[in-house]
Amino acid sequence: MSLPISNIPIPAILEIRENVIQDLEKILIKHQFKRVGVLFDSFTFEHYKIKVESSCTSVKITTYEMQADLDIHALTDFAFDLERYDAIVAIGGGAIIDYGKYIAHIRRVPFISMPTSASNDGFASSNCSLIINEKKTTVPAKIPYGIIADLSIIKNAPTSMLLAGVGDLMSNITALYDWDFEEKHGVATVNHFAAMLSKKAVNSFIRTPMEDLTRPIFLKELVSSLTMGGIATVISGNSAPISGSEHLISHALDKHAEKPQMHGLQVGIATYIMANVQNHRAERMM
Amino acid sequence: MSLPISNIPIPAILEIRENVIQDLEKILIKHQFKRVGVLFDSFTFEHYKIKVESSCTSVKITTYEMQADLDIHALTDFAFDLERYDAIVAIGGGAIIDYGKYIAHIRRVPFISMPTSASNDGFASSNCSLIINEKKTTVPAKIPYGIIADLSIIKNAPTSMLLAGVGDLMSNITALYDWDFEEKHGVATVNHFAAMLSKKAVNSFIRTPMEDLTRPIFLKELVSSLTMGGIATVISGNSAPISGSEHLISHALDKHAEKPQMHGLQVGIATYIMANVQNHRAERMM
Amino acid sequence: MSLPISNIPIPAILEIRENVIQDLEKILIKHQFKRVGVLFDSFTFEHYKIKVESSCTSVKITTYEMQADLDIHALTDFAFDLERYDAIVAIGGGAIIDYGKYIAHIRRVPFISMPTSASNDGFASSNCSLIINEKKTTVPAKIPYGIIADLSIIKNAPTSMLLAGVGDLMSNITALYDWDFEEKHGVATVNHFAAMLSKKAVNSFIRTPMEDLTRPIFLKELVSSLTMGGIATVISGNSAPISGSEHLISHALDKHAEKPQMHGLQVGIATYIMANVQNHRAERMM
Amino acid sequence: MSLPISNIPIPAILEIRENVIQDLEKILIKHQFKRVGVLFDSFTFEHYKIKVESSCTSVKITTYEMQADLDIHALTDFAFDLERYDAIVAIGGGAIIDYGKYIAHIRRVPFISMPTSASNDGFASSNCSLIINEKKTTVPAKIPYGIIADLSIIKNAPTSMLLAGVGDLMSNITALYDWDFEEKHGVATVNHFAAMLSKKAVNSFIRTPMEDLTRPIFLKELVSSLTMGGIATVISGNSAPISGSEHLISHALDKHAEKPQMHGLQVGIATYIMANVQNHRAERMM
C-alpha cells in the first residue's frame, strides 16, 4: 500500500489583467453563479459599487458596505444574517478580503477575491487576520474559488501599497530558508511542491525592471507572483512557504511599535534584515 | 449550484538535489513502498544498477534492463508479465522514463521518475512518446507519483543534453503565446493556473547566469523549471502549457529530416523562429 | 472538454463496533495524531473521561467538559482559545458532536466524531445545529475525518434514543421522495450517488428484526445506516438526501410545540405522516 | 500532521431507470460531451445502433461494431487508431464494456458504461477482464465517468443473466467475510467505507421479493446494488469488497472446467459453498 497522490484545490477562476472588472458578470455566468453577495469597504463602495451593479444585468447582485474594524463576533452575526448566495465576492483592500474569506468559510459558500491593491498576498491565501478579543489573530478561512485582479484598478493604488506588496513577496526568500532550516532541525516538514511555487514566484519577479511601478508588465508580475505564493499556502496547509522569521518581526512590531506601518512594508524591511542574518541572498534584494 | 474547485494531483515526492540517489530507500520507506520494480536503460543499468541495489536493504528491489526501441505491444506484454509492485521506478533518459510511465499506467501502480538528464520535461509530464505501428506517438501515461532528480548525475550528462533541456524549457514562451492565440480564436480554453506555472517556470529560469552549465544552482533551476512545466500539463490535462507551434516544427523535423536532432535542440531552435513569427520576446531569448 | 469526475471526501476512520473506545489510541497513532483535544458533555465527562485518559499513554490528550447551551459566540471564543491540536474529538450526544464539528471547522483541524447514542445522523453529517441569536440554526461544519461508534456504549443509551435514531433513519424514505419531486418541478437537482447511498442505508435497515433493540447486529445496522445517510449529505453538499418535508414538520414543532420531543422521534412520526401524504411506502413503515 | 481525508472519484452520471436510452443525448449535452465514440457488440449493434444514432442530433456520434474475442494488442491498436473523442460509450454485455473501459483508460478519455444486462458488477468497477497471451486476465481500467442502465433493455435479457447478476451480488457476503479474515491475519487492510457500501448493497437487495425477475423494482434494486458494489472497488482500489474465495473458485472453473458457465452463475454457486465453509449467513442465501 502506498500513500495517495495529494489532490490540491486550486482556484477555478484566475484572472489577472486590465479592466477585468468589466467582465465580472461574464465570469460569474460561466461558473453558474446566479445570486451573488458582494462586499465592499467604504472606499470601494463609493468608487466601484455602481460600476459592479450596472455591469451585472442577469446575475442577481446584492451589495454590502462593510464597516471597518469588525471583530469575529460581528462577522459571525453578519454571516448568518445573510441569505444564501451562490458565491460571496469581496472587493477592496486586505481587510474586506479577510472579512469575505471568513464569512464564506463559515457559510460554506464559494469565495471570490477581488483585490484593489497588491499590498500583500492575502487575497490568494487560505488564512485571514481577524480581531478576536481585540487582538489581530490569524484564522483559517475559505480557499478562494476565484481570484480576479483588475490591474487598471491596482495601478492607481498608492505607491506605498505596491512597495508593501513587493516587501511581502520578497519575504518568500527568507521564509523558505527558515522552512528548510526547521526541517533540518526536525521541527517541520517542507512540502516541496509548495516551496517550489513560492520560490519560482519570487525568482520570476525578482529581476523584473522596477523603474516604473505602474507598468502593466510589472503589475502583472507582482500580482501573479503574490497569487502563486498564496496558493502555495493552500497546498502546504500552512503559511510556511511565504512566512518565516521576517513575519515574526513584523508581528512583534504590530504589537509593540507606537505606529506600526503597513504589513508588507514591515515585512520587506525585516526580510532584508533576516536575509543578512541568514547570510543568504541579501545582496539580491538591494 | 456552482462548479467545484478543481482538485489537481501533484507529485507526492519532489526531490531535486545532489546525491539524492543515496536517499532512495529512505524516500521509498517514507512512502510505504516495500516492493519496487526498477527499470533501467543499458547505460543506467551499467552505471547505477549496483548502486541502487546496494543502497536498498529493507525495501525489496527488482531490477530490469530494458531494450531500446520497444513498441507499445512489447511494453504491454512486459507490463502484464511483471509481478505486482508497490511502485515502478524508471532511471535513465527520456525513453526509459516513457516506458515506465506507460507500464505504470496500464498496471495502475505509482510511478517514480528518476531522470539522469535534463534534456526535456517528459520526466514530470503526464504523457509519453511511444512507438505505435512504427511511428512515434504521444500517448497518455501515468502522472508521476514522485520525481527524484539527482543533480550530481545530471551534471555529468553531455552538454548537448543540458542545452536541449534549455530549448525545451524556452518553448514554454511560444507555447503560451499560441495557447492564448487559440483561445482568442475560440479553439482552445486556457487553464490560467497551468499557464501561470509554465510562465513562472520559464521566467524564473530565463535570467539565471548560464556561463557554467554544471553549476548546481543552474542545474537546479533548469530541472525544477522543467518539472513545473511538466506539472502544468497535468493540471491542464493537455500539453498546451508547454507545447505549441514550435513543437509542431520539431515533430515535422522528426518525420522529414534526414537526421533529426535531439527533441529539445530542435524545439529550442524552433522556439526562436516562432518567437520572431509571433513578434514576442524573441530578443529575450538571445 | 468535459466536467471532471467529482472527488468526494470520505471519512478516513470508520469504526463501528463494540469496545472500540479501548482502541482509541491505536487509531489516533495510526493516523499520526499526536496531540488531541477531547470534548465531553457533562454526562460523558463523568463516565468516560478517565477511561479515555488512561487508555492514551503516548498520544497527548487534553480533555474539556463543555457546558450545555453554548451559543455560536461562546463556541467561537472557545475555539480560538484552544491551543493547536492535530485533531479534535467529541464524545457524547448530539450537542457536543455539534460543538466539536463547528470548532474543528473554524480552526480547520480534523474532527473525530464519537457518538454515545444513535438518536440521529448528525455524527456523520457535515452540518450542525447551533444557537445563533437564541435560535437553533443549521450551520455548515467540519466533515468528519473519523467516525468511531462504540456499540457497547450506544446500547446503554435510553430506548427512546434508539427509537429516535430509527425515526431519523426512516425519514430518508420521504426525504428522497421529496428530492425527486423537487427535481421534477425544476427546483432541485438530485445527486444520484448521494440518493443511492441514502436509499440503500434505509433499505438495508428496514427489514432488520427489531424485537431486541440492544442486539449488536441491530445496533450496528442502525449506526452504520445513519452513518451512510450522513455521508450522503457530504456528497450532495446539502441535507436533501436525508431531510425533507418530514424534517420541516419537526422544525415547526421545535418552534411551536409547548414541549418539543427528541428530534428523531418527531421526525419519525412526521415521516409516517408524510409517507401517507406522498402515498409511498407508508405500509412498509408500520 | 495528519493524513488527508481521502478523495474518491464517483461516477458523475448515474442513471438507472426505464427508457433512459432515449435521454442519452440530453445526458451527453449536460456533461458537455460533443463528440462521442460509441462501441457496440454484434447484438447491440444490430438492435440499438439506429436507436442511438437517431436519438442524437446535435451531439456527433460515431459508432463501432466490435468483434468478439479481441485481445489486448488488438484493443491497443484499435484505441490509438480512434480519433479523439470527448467520451467513449460502450453499449452491451460484459465484454464490450470491458473493451470500452480499457480503451478509454489508455486514451485517457471519460468512459460511459451502458450495460444491457445485469449479469455481473463489471459495468461499475474499475477493472476489466481481457485476453493477454490467450489467457483471461484482470486488468486495471478506466473508472466509469458515467453509468447509464436502461431497465427496459435489461429486463429483456435472458433469465440466466439476471440470475448471474444475483450470484455476483450475493458474493459480496463471502468476499467481505474473507476480507475481514485476511485483515485479522495481517495480510490485508479493510477499507471500512468500501466494505460498508458493499454490505449495504447486498443487504438492501437480499430481501427484495424475487418472484418476478422482470419487475422494475427488482431490476432497479439489482442493478443499483451491483453498481454500488462496483463503486466500492473504486474506493478500495482493489476488488476485495466484492471478490473473495468464491471468485477464486469461479476462476478455477474457468481454467479447468470443460464447459465453464457464466461468471455470475459460477460465483453464485461458489458463494453458497463458501458461506457454508465460513459458517456465516448461508441460510440467508437459500
Side-chain angles (χ1 to χ4, degrees), chain B residues 135-152:
Chain B
K135 277 192 311 192
K136 278 273 182 187
T137 309
T138 299
V139 170
K142 194 78 180 173
I143 295 166
Y145 178 92
I147 297 164
I148 302 175
D150 191 323
L151 300 180
S152 325

Side-chain angles (χ1 to χ4, degrees), chain A residues 73 77 80 105-106 108 126 140-141, chain C residues 73 77 105-106 108 126 140-141:
Chain A
H73 290 322
D77 288 339
F80 289 104
H105 182 56
I106 60 178
R108 195 183 280 143
S126 58
Chain C
H73 290 322
D77 289 339
H105 182 56
I106 60 178
R108 194 182 281 142
S126 60

Side-chain angles (χ1 to χ4, degrees), chain B residues 101-231:
Chain B
K101 258 155 86 171
Y102 188 72
I103 291 166
H105 182 56
I106 58 177
R107 287 297 301 267
R108 195 181 279 142
V109 169
F111 174 64
I112 298 174
S113 190
M114 291 191 68
T116 53
S117 71
S119 57
N120 62 61
D121 41 33
F123 62 85
S125 72
S126 58
N127 286 322
C128 62
S129 178
L130 297 185
I131 300 169
I132 301 181
N133 282 332
E134 303 182 5
K135 277 192 311 192
K136 278 273 182 187
T137 309
T138 299
V139 170
K142 194 78 180 173
I143 295 166
Y145 178 92
I147 297 164
I148 302 175
D150 191 323
L151 300 180
S152 325
I153 294 172
I154 290 171
K155 82 171 165 201
N156 293 323
T159 306
S160 58
M161 289 207 161
L162 292 175
L163 292 175
V166 174
D168 208 24
L169 181 55
M170 297 304 284
S171 75
N172 294 16
I173 294 173
T174 43
L176 289 170
Y177 185 94
D178 285 343
W179 204 9
D180 203 44
F181 183 88
E182 285 169 16
E183 184 178 59
K184 278 187 185 128
H185 290 74
V187 294
T189 304
V190 172
N191 177 312
H192 293 287
F193 185 63
M196 178 192 276
L197 288 196
S198 170
K199 191 177 224 166
K200 295 288 178 203
V202 65
N203 279 0
S204 174
F205 174 77
I206 205 167
R207 288 191 190 84
T208 310
M210 305 204 185
E211 288 75 34
D212 181 355
L213 300 189
T214 62
R215 277 184 66 203
I217 201 168
F218 169 83
L219 283 172
K220 180 153 196 183
E221 190 70 43
L222 174 60
V223 172
S224 63
S225 288
L226 287 168
T227 299
M228 206 153 93
I231 292 173

